[in-house]
Every structure is written in structure tokens, then in C-alpha cells.
Amino acid sequence: MKRLMSSFTVLLLVMALALPALAFIPQGELNGGVSYEWNAEDKKLEHTSTRTGFRLVLEDYVDPAGKLHFSFKGWYDWKDKEGDLALDQLWFSGYMGDIDYSLGRQLINWGTADGFNPTSYFARMDANALFSGDMAGEPTWAGQATYYGQNFSLTAVAAPYFEPQKIDAEMKRLMPKTELPPHIPPGLVPDADAVFEAIEEVDKPKAFGKDTQWALRAETQLAGFDLQASYFTGYEPLPGMEMTIQMFPPNTSFEGEYRRQSFVGLAASGTIGSAGVWAEVAYGGPEPFAEADDVPGTMRIPLSINEKYLQAVVGGDYTFAVGTGLLAQIQYIYRGQGSLLMPYVMPEIDFEAGPIPSIEPGEIKPASYLYGRFAYDVNPDSTLDLVVIYGLEEKGGIIRPAYTYRFPNAVQAELSLVASFGKEENVFEPIPTTARLGVSYKF
Amino acid sequence: MRIRKALLLLLSILLLSSVSYAADRSGQEILDDLAFSNVLSGSGVAELNLITENARGQQRKYSVKVYLKSDDAGDRQFLEYLSPADVRGTKFLSLNLEGQEDQMWLYLPAIGRERRIASHMTGDSFMGTDFTYEEIGGNFARSGEYSAERLADEVEGGVTCYVLDLTALSDAALYERIRMWVWQTENVPVKVEFLNSAGVLQKTLTLSDFREVAGELVPHSVVMADNVKGTRTILEILSVSEEEISEDVFTVRYLRR
């Protein structure tokens, strides 16, 4: 598959180079930043990252009706001595009468809410998005076509190449760790790290054919509101995982599969008086794990949700007449599949149950959050921004204040802080207080 | 010699009749006859530099392309930022159609889709500048909203001007009072002062570099100063053409392209 994608990339590049009429003017961004974490135990500030990065974009209109886009990006962490260089987007979009289409690796971002979009089926977001504020999601290889009628549009998307959600350091950090009492033999109690190792081994859906992911969307306006109805059939962004416990000899292992899933979604946005409002809902879920034969002395425990569920977002924003204008945004987020931070629920273990601990499946409880964002332009060059996420069931959250200063010539600096708050041992607690200073130059 | 005398007589008559015409015109007649077409009014396309200046004199410069259509059906506006790089590709669509709620969308290239935004902008800042939406469209002194009193003529911006003192007739007017300097020979304003109910000068609009576009004089340099905040917004018109813009431009579909 990788060879196929490489061939497609080369083909599009050759097409781009073969079009003499195109006058690509490179655009992009250079950025750098340093991060420090507050070590609460040692009570000292630790330097965690010095990262530089770039994004280079070549884009031009193709006469008479089209556009070609090529971008790639990379980063290098000077502290950890690691980096990445990757294709970002590569697509051609064209217009034919009432139909607009685009082919290639592209960002397909659906929905009407701001950042949390249950109906954005293709743009995968990693766990770090919550902390960085970059909620755009990842591009995917797909073909997309939209028919525009008089007062409606119909969009179809086919994504033949499956790309899973990235597992980043934040996700690993947030999975709860189990402290083993000395009398518990190793290998018996599941370890979160072993889950992530097992995920890497799971076979991905094949490209093209029956494993292709599909989505349809209809859009219209009603009473001044933008409305979207959508349907998606594809795969889970992370594999559904199960844990198998074997009693004799004691052992645990993890197995997973990318399960087919389908969703129906509705989204709406509009204005009520001077406020912008939106609502978005999706219902569906994965196909349940296949029933396995009972094997004496073994037990299978699902770590992923195994039934259909509901996701919903309702929100609004309003600009208060304070100084240059204070933008306030509030969103309520409901996740039937559980916590925003943990894609898997580890089993509940009772070490006091006897010489061998009792292990029961963890309960996947719906989770809901309040998300608030406040932005204020101190002057034309600088902005104060505050983002707060609070888990209503988890009784904790994170707060992210940031100050941005815009220098001339598209240079900007941002100083931000991420800190958790709430009751003891809430799921946000492992997030350390982190300060980051970043500078970017766009050209 | 006789011909020269006759010519002088003719010129004197013409001059006197012209002075008499200028002197006779009432403030309301001058206001009603304004041949004013701001850069962002009517129907057409314009590329312009939009420069904002804060109270300390620091400037930020944006280049934008604006498509406009204004007719009996209402006002449509499509704006795309061309530079600087940190806002390039951001697009804005505004529909103010008769009998419908105002609607606005903002397209952000970083997230690859549009967002519906609240349309409470009338009377508020146009894209963070010192202009309100009504001011930028030149609709700050609509006929019937103000009574006009003519003051003594003055020279402003190097041209002889009528000076009008406008007083709001209803609460619907944006400002309680407006003072306007109107270029006598061209019937276009070259300077406008906006005052609040206490008579305090709030904003000053200066229009210059008039050039003919499709038979109309269009200012190619427009400066709005907020006298209270000490800020300024400067519009430099790079190109402007009055043409019929397709309705297709003023759609979410066009925003996504």
C-alpha cells in the first residue's frame, strides 16, 4: 500500500511539474518552541523539549477550474534528538458545472461545532490536540465530490486507505498505571504499556475494495440555520482491544482488531440574536467483538466499548462589548463512549481478593464536559486567550491561558501554560503543569 | 479687441451664475445630490491595502480582495485576505438580504472549513478596523435620516467645499451629528466628522485621490480616524472595477474553493 501511495505522490508531483502555467510561490511556516514542566515531587522546573519545525506549501490555481496543493511538514526535537518529516497534504480539486471534487491526501473536516465535531469522521485528532489548541485534525487519502443544487448540496467521500489515530506521548501518559503489590506474580496483571505495544501489532484494514471507508453528507438551510445530515461507514480510529486472562499458568495478553463502525450524524449552526449557536450529534458504534469459544481457565475482558453510543456537542459564542470585545464561547460535550482522555478502560483489580487478585471488566461510563474559551484583543498586536475543559463526572479538568503577540511580517510569539485542576486522582491529574514559549514565522 | 471684451463678459456671466448656483443650494439639496460612491459600495471587485494603526502609531497592513454586490435584493460581500501570510486564505462571506436575517461565514484554511459567525456586526467594527459596516459601504448619511444645514464654505484638501451640519432625525441614525465637507465641483465628500450626542468628535473620515471608475469618482485613499481611541484605519485602493458579479461568488461553495 505504501508503494501505491508513493506512486500516487510521485504522479501528482510529476503532474504539478509538468504544468508550465503554474507559478508556485512557496508558502509555509517556520516554528520553534521550548517547553518546561513543573515537577511537583521535586519542586523544580524541568526542561522537556526544544522543538523546531516547518511546513512548506505549494499551491496554485489551475486554469480554467481547479487547484493543486502540495504541502509537507517536519519537526526535530533537539532535546530528545528525534524528529519526523512527512507529507502533509497533496490534492487536486476541480470544478465541473454543479460538481466540485478533490482527490488526494486532504483535510476533510465536517461538522458545525468549534473543535469537537462528532460528525468529523475522517480528520483524526491525537490526544495532544487538547493541550496544544490545534484542533484541525489529520488529513487523509480520499476522493470527495459535492453536488450543489439550488438550496442544498450532497457530498460523497471515499477513503480507500485507512490511517489510524496516532498514539502520542500524552495518550500513553494518561492511561492509568497499576501499582503491583509484592505478592502479585508478574504477568498476571495487565499493564497499560502492553496495551500500546499490542496496538502496534494489530492488522490494519486493507486498502481499496470492501475495506474502503465511505461517508455521505447532505446540507441545506432551514429558517436561517445551516443543517447537515451525514452517514459514515468505516473503521475505528484505534483498534478495539480485548484482554485475555489465563489462570494456569497465570498470564494476560491483549488482542485487538480494527472493527467496522457506522454512524449517522446531524449538525446545525446559526445565530440567535447576537450569539452564534451550534449543535452536533452522532449515533453509532463498532461491530461487537466476535463471540469466542469458552476455554476453561481463561477470561476475555473488553477494554473498548462494545455497543452503540451517542456523541453530542451543543455550544455558542458571544462577543461582549468590553473594550475591544471579549469573545466568550461555551460548549457542552457528551461522549457516550467514555472519557475524552482514555480510549481504553482498564479492568478493575481487587488485590485483596485472595492469593490471586480478582479482575473484573472496567465499566465504560458516559462522560460529559464543559468547554469554555475566552479571547480578548489587548491591542491590534496581542491577544489573551483562555481555554478551560472541565469533566462533569471526572470532577477535574485543564486550564490553558495563552498570550500571543504578533510582530510585523507574520512573526508571532505565544506563551502558554497548561495545568490540571480538580479533585484528587481525577483523570486529568497526571497532566503536569507545562509552560511553553513558541515562535512562528509564516511566509 | 471687441471679441476679447465679449469673451470676458461671457466668462463673468458664467462665473456669476455659477457662484449664484452654489450660493443658492440648500444643505438638504447638497446632501440629496451627493454623487458619492465609496470603494466598497455598488457592485464590483476591489483589491486594497487595509492598514490599521493603533494609538502608538504602530501599523498592521493587510491586502484583501473584496467582491461586492448591492441591489434591491440586498447587500452581499465576499472578502479574501491575500496577505500577510498569517491570515492569507481566510475568507469572509456576508449576506444582508431583504426580508432575511443577516448571515455571515468565516472560512479558515487551517481547519479546512467554514464557520457560521454571529451577524451582529451592523454598527460594530468591520474586520477589526475603525470602520463600521455602514461606514465602509458609504451609507453613513442615508437620505431621510438627517436634516442638513449649510454652513459657510471652506477650502478642505485643496478644494472649495460646501460645509454641511447634519442632525439625526431618528434614533436609527448611526450618529447624532455629522459635519461634512463636500467638493463643490464634484459633489463628493472629502471629509466627514462624526459627533456623538454631546457634540464630541468621535471619528473623522478623509477621502482623497479621487479617480474616475466607470463614470463615477471613487476615492482611492480613505482614512478613518477614531478620535476617541486615537486609532486610524487607512484604505489604499490598488485596483477597482465596477462590474456585475455572479451570484455564485456569494455562496458557501465559493468560500470553500
Side-chain angles (χ1 to χ4, degrees):
Chain A
M1 182 61 211
K2 278 191 175 167
R3 190 181 298 168
L4 187 69
M5 286 301 132
S6 302
S7 306
F8 185 68
T9 303
V10 170
L11 180 67
L12 273 176
L13 282 173
V14 168
M15 277 171 62
L17 294 170
L19 290 168
L22 291 174
F24 286 123
I25 298 169
Q27 304 168 14
E29 177 183 328
L30 299 173
N31 57 59
V34 286
S35 297
Y36 287 86
E37 276 182 18
W38 175 249
N39 187 322
E41 278 184 16
D42 299 342
K43 298 206 173 353
K44 66 175 186 182
L45 211 55
E46 289 178 353
H47 175 216
T48 52
S49 161
T50 297
R51 184 177 284 209
T52 51
F54 77 95
R55 182 169 182 261
L56 184 68
V57 180
L58 299 171
E59 183 178 288
D60 200 8
Y61 286 94
V62 182
D63 285 334
K67 198 164 148 183
L68 193 59
H69 175 108
F70 167 56
S71 57
F72 64 102
K73 59 185 178 182
W75 58 268
Y76 185 77
D77 194 311
W78 298 87
K79 184 171 183 298
D80 294 341
K81 305 268 189 285
E82 62 178 12
D84 189 31
L85 183 67
L87 174 69
D88 182 31
Q89 295 186 50
L90 177 63
W91 48 258
F92 173 77
S93 67
Y95 326 121
M96 285 190 315
D98 292 330
I99 295 174
D100 291 0
Y101 63 92
S102 53
L103 293 167
R105 185 173 162 79
Q106 57 191 298
L107 188 58
I108 300 175
N109 226 331
W110 285 5
T112 53
D114 191 14
F116 298 93
N117 297 99
T119 66
S120 192
Y121 309 112
F122 293 100
R124 312 267 194 234
M125 262 199 290
D126 54 31
N128 189 50
L130 272 181
F131 313 112
S132 68
D134 179 7
M135 312 282 274
E138 286 292 316
T140 191
W141 288 99
Q144 178 174 213
T146 303
Y147 169 78
Y148 289 92
Q150 188 62 30
N151 190 30
F152 70 95
S153 67
L154 293 171
T155 302
V157 174
Y161 179 56
F162 174 80
E163 288 178 272
Q165 181 180 334
K166 284 180 188 157
I167 296 169
D168 55 17
E170 294 300 339
M171 187 185 287
K172 286 182 177 171
R173 191 205 301 254
L174 290 166
M175 277 289 278
K177 306 288 184 293
T178 310
E179 297 291 332
L180 290 184
H183 69 278
I184 301 299
L188 183 61
V189 174
D191 175 37
D193 290 338
V195 177
F196 291 112
E197 283 169 22
I199 288 172
E200 301 293 336
E201 304 299 318
V202 177
D203 290 338
K204 293 192 189 94
K206 293 184 176 62
F208 301 102
K210 66 180 179 58
D211 284 352
T212 294
Q213 301 184 99
W214 298 89
L216 295 167
R217 179 178 69 173
E219 293 178 282
T220 189
Q221 266 214 335
L222 196 64
F225 278 77
D226 297 347
L227 299 178
Q228 301 177 357
S230 56
Y231 172 76
F232 167 76
T233 172
Y235 288 92
E236 296 175 286
L238 289 168
M241 297 299 293
E242 281 186 299
M243 183 174 71
T244 303
I245 301 170
Q246 185 180 289
M247 296 301 183
F248 306 104
N251 187 34
T252 58
S253 61
F254 298 96
E255 289 171 19
E257 63 170 311
Y258 286 96
R259 295 174 295 175
R260 194 89 192 169
Q261 63 173 1
S262 56
F263 282 95
V264 288
L266 288 171
S269 65
T271 56
I272 297 177
S274 299
V277 292
W278 55 84
E280 199 171 326
V281 61
Y283 178 76
E287 292 169 358
F289 290 112
E291 294 285 334
D293 296 334
D294 278 343
V295 179
T298 62
M299 182 166 69
R300 292 174 71 203
I301 294 179
L303 309 182
S304 305
I305 193 158
N306 207 23
E307 58 194 7
K308 294 194 185 316
Y309 56 87
L310 182 79
Q311 297 179 79
V313 175
V314 180
D317 59 14
Y318 184 83
T319 303
F320 292 94
V322 179
T324 55
L326 171 69
L327 171 74
Q329 180 189 101
I330 299 290
Q331 296 194 77
Y332 170 79
I333 301 155
Y334 176 84
R335 287 170 54 89
Q337 73 271 48
S339 174
L340 196 59
L341 301 182
M342 288 182 293
Y344 301 106
V345 172
M346 298 301 280
E348 288 169 6
I349 305 162
D350 182 2
F351 292 111
E352 307 300 324
I356 294 178
S358 130
I359 303 178
E360 297 291 331
E363 188 184 356
I364 297 175
K365 295 175 189 166
S368 52
Y369 301 86
L370 284 178
Y371 172 94
R373 179 172 171 247
F374 307 89
Y376 181 77
D377 285 338
V378 181
N379 56 48
D381 297 325
S382 57
T383 303
L384 279 171
D385 205 80
L386 176 69
V387 172
V388 183
I389 303 169
Y390 180 73
L392 295 172
E393 290 78 20
E394 292 155 352
K395 308 287 184 209
I398 51 171
I399 184 167
R400 183 184 186 273
Y403 173 76
T404 305
Y405 189 86
R406 292 176 287 277
F407 295 93
N409 301 316
V411 175
Q412 83 172 32
E414 185 192 72
L415 180 64
S416 63
L417 187 78
V418 174
S420 62
F421 64 94
K423 73 169 193 180
E424 279 188 20
E425 295 188 0
N426 76 79
V427 293
F428 292 91
E429 200 175 36
I431 299 166
T433 300
T434 306
R436 182 178 182 276
L437 176 64
V439 179
S440 69
Y441 163 61
K442 288 186 177 164
F443 55 92
Chain B
M1 191 65 188
R2 198 181 292 164
I3 292 172
R4 210 165 134 188
K5 274 187 179 176
L7 200 59
L8 273 172
L9 182 66
L10 180 65
L11 275 171
S12 303
I13 291 168
L14 280 172
L15 192 62
L16 282 172
S17 64
S18 153
V19 169
S20 157
Y21 171 70
D24 286 350
R25 298 183 72 194
S26 71
Q28 198 61 51
E29 284 172 342
I30 295 165
L31 182 64
D32 292 343
D33 291 347
L34 275 186
F36 179 57
S37 176
N38 202 350
V39 59
L40 299 180
S41 65
S43 181
V45 189
E47 270 193 46
L48 49 123
N49 286 335
L50 196 154
I51 302 159
T52 57
E53 184 180 286
N54 67 14
R56 288 176 290 167
Q58 296 167 316
Q59 293 189 339
R60 282 188 69 79
K61 184 176 176 181
Y62 304 93
S63 293
V64 296
K65 187 170 189 177
V66 188
Y67 297 83
L68 292 149
K69 191 164 191 171
S70 197
D71 55 24
D72 292 344
D75 302 324
R76 294 75 121 191
Q77 187 182 97
F78 183 96
L79 183 147
E80 179 175 3
Y81 282 89
L82 306 175
S83 72
D86 53 351
V87 292
R88 182 172 46 224
T90 302
K91 300 173 198 169
F92 171 76
L93 171 65
S94 166
L95 302 178
N96 310 113
L97 302 176
E98 286 296 321
Q100 292 184 24
E101 285 269 318
D102 295 349
Q103 298 182 10
M104 293 181 187
W105 293 262
L106 192 65
Y107 178 87
L108 300 167
I111 61 167
R113 71 174 170 87
E114 73 283 352
R115 271 206 65 207
R116 185 78 179 267
I117 57 174
S119 55
H120 61 291
M121 299 296 188
T122 306
D124 283 348
S125 164
F126 168 80
M127 306 302 285
T129 70
D130 291 302
F131 287 93
T132 65
Y133 277 79
E134 299 205 345
E135 289 161 356
I136 208 153
N139 298 324
F140 43 76
R142 281 186 285 236
S143 188
E145 283 189 348
Y146 290 89
S147 68
E149 183 189 340
R150 183 174 166 187
L151 307 177
D153 295 350
E154 291 181 11
V155 173
E156 180 63 46
V159 297
T160 308
C161 294
Y162 301 118
V163 183
L164 305 182
D165 189 10
L166 312 183
T167 305
L169 294 172
S170 72
D171 293 342
L174 269 183
Y175 292 93
E176 191 76 17
R177 280 182 63 202
I178 293 176
R179 269 201 301 263
M180 188 184 291
W181 283 254
V182 180
W183 186 356
Q184 289 193 354
T185 53
E186 301 295 347
N187 261 357
V188 291
V190 295
K191 182 176 156 185
V192 185
E193 289 182 346
F194 302 94
L195 298 89
N196 66 13
S197 54
V200 176
L201 178 63
Q202 286 196 304
K203 288 182 178 180
T204 304
L205 177 69
T206 310
L207 306 119
S208 59
D209 190 14
F210 283 89
R211 296 180 215 167
E212 198 168 292
V213 177
E216 283 187 45
L217 274 186
V218 173
H220 279 56
S221 174
V222 181
V223 180
M224 178 67 94
D226 188 317
N227 302 87
V228 178
K229 294 184 197 163
T231 55
R232 288 200 314 161
T233 299
I234 303 157
L235 296 181
E236 297 171 347
I237 316 306
L238 305 175
S239 68
V240 61
S241 65
E242 290 201 7
E243 57 191 77
E244 200 56 37
I245 306 294
S246 166
E247 289 291 340
D248 292 343
V249 172
F250 306 103
T251 58
V252 170
R253 178 186 187 185
Y254 206 79
L255 207 59
R256 291 171 178 170
R257 285 186 172 177

